Amino acid sequence: MRRPVIGIPCDVKFVGRADFHAVGEKYIAAVQGAVGDVVLLPAWGDMDILKRLLPGLDGIFLTGSLSNVKPSRYGSELADPNTLLDEKRDNTTLPLIEHVLEIGMPLFGVCRGFQEMNVALGGTLYQKVQEVAGMMDHREPGDTIDSNILYADAHTISLAEGSLLQQWMGGASETMVNSLHQQGVKDLAPRLTAEAHAPDGLIEAFRVTDAKTFAYAVQWHPEWLYTEKAASIALFKAFHDACVEYATATAGR
Ligand SMILES: N[C@@H](CCC(=O)NCCCC(=O)O)C(=O)O
């Protein structure tokens, strides 16, 4: 059996004088460590290129990012002109998500990736959860660059009865997660089923209801301490197993 190969679409960041296509190292390290070898996919926004690359891959991992999905993608006006966007990533991931689900390739989304999956399938987002009445502030502490503080556990989530995550976690009903986002799921896309909620009711995990394989996303960062946290271990194991199964099923095609 060969080791699965996982594609990770890049962010596009302006550095110095030019655009760079990049993925944060903690995401690459977690996927490389828990799932398979990693290939970074430039955010060309061109499905023809991606369709040529996909036969060499066994899964897609969508990372978090400081940038936000452009609100016009879900029918809203940009609420704050200072919002960081990355349209090249939107142009890449949104059509990719639909195609990957169609061909039955495993798909795992984290934070921005979670929000992208909701938008790609017809859902909408809050642009600033912390300004919505009754909602918590889900942003990271703003006065530090210490990752141990930024990615520390921030709040509980309750796992839906009978959810996949509950099964993968041996029947757990809640767990602690970190929290580094200001956007969040407003209207859940019709093809998605909520799997976990924050204490304020915000959706923290969902699965693609009609998926042919692992198609799952979480609002928090399981890549942080991915070998230590029970939820991270469970999520990456389920993704790994699905990628191995996909690699085996498509071998020789
Ligand atoms: N920008 C969006 C998505 C939040 C997100 O993905 N944060 C990641 C932070 C940096 C990282 O660890 O990659 C939002 O604010 O909701």
Side-chain angles (χ1 to χ4, degrees):
M1 184 195 70
R2 76 177 163 77
R3 192 167 151 77
V5 181
I6 312 306
I8 307 184
C10 291
D11 288 326
V12 180
K13 294 173 188 288
F14 189 80
V15 184
R17 295 180 182 164
D19 278 349
F20 284 68
H21 293 236
V23 172
E25 190 174 77
K26 74 179 182 328
Y27 298 109
I28 302 171
V31 175
Q32 185 72 39
V35 188
D37 294 333
V38 170
V39 171
L40 302 190
L41 304 173
W44 289 125
D46 184 330
M47 272 310 296
D48 289 338
I49 298 174
L50 288 168
K51 282 181 184 173
R52 287 200 295 274
L53 292 169
L54 282 170
L57 304 177
D58 306 304
I60 292 290
F61 182 84
L62 303 170
T63 67
S65 174
L66 294 177
S67 71
N68 300 279
V69 179
K70 193 172 185 187
S72 60
R73 293 296 198 148
Y74 48 91
S76 292
E77 296 286 325
L78 188 64
D80 177 350
N82 296 319
T83 304
L84 183 64
L85 302 174
D86 181 349
E87 290 190 67
K88 289 181 180 173
R89 175 163 164 163
D90 293 345
N91 291 340
T92 303
T93 52
L94 298 180
L96 179 63
I97 288 163
E98 287 182 84
H99 183 73
V100 162
L101 292 173
E102 197 178 302
I103 64 174
M105 179 180 280
L107 174 65
F108 187 12
V110 164
C111 209
R112 189 197 213 264
F114 165 92
Q115 297 165 357
E116 287 168 337
M117 283 173 64
N118 185 48
V119 171
L121 299 178
T124 66
L125 301 177
Y126 294 117
Q127 293 183 45
K128 295 190 181 198
V129 175
Q130 66 278 6
E131 293 180 3
V132 178
M135 301 301 255
M136 295 159 25
D137 190 341
H138 288 254
R139 293 173 296 178
E140 63 271 43
D143 51 358
T144 181
I145 55 163
D146 181 342
S147 292
N148 289 307
I149 299 174
L150 290 171
Y151 293 91
D153 285 343
H155 62 76
T156 56
I157 55 165
S158 54
L159 310 188
E161 263 322 296
S163 60
L164 289 175
L165 186 55
Q166 185 176 64
Q167 289 169 36
W168 295 331
M169 291 184 69
S173 57
E174 63 172 41
T175 191
M176 289 291 289
V177 297
N178 52 28
S179 191
L180 297 94
H181 63 102
Q182 65 168 344
Q183 303 213 318
V185 169
K186 186 177 180 195
D187 300 301
L188 189 65
R191 283 178 71 185
L192 300 175
T193 300
E195 287 249 318
H197 294 86
D200 58 5
L202 193 69
I203 295 174
E204 291 276 341
F206 57 66
R207 69 174 187 274
V208 178
T209 317
D210 61 353
K212 298 171 183 155
T213 179
F214 181 103
Y216 206 89
V218 300
Q219 181 62 85
W220 72 93
H221 288 269
E223 78 284 358
W224 180 252
L225 300 182
Y226 71 95
T227 59
E228 293 176 28
K229 298 278 180 191
S232 300
I233 294 167
L235 286 161
F236 278 107
K237 182 185 182 315
F239 183 45
H240 166 269
D241 292 354
C243 294
V244 169
E245 192 176 301
Y246 186 89
T248 307
T250 57
R253 262 195 214 166

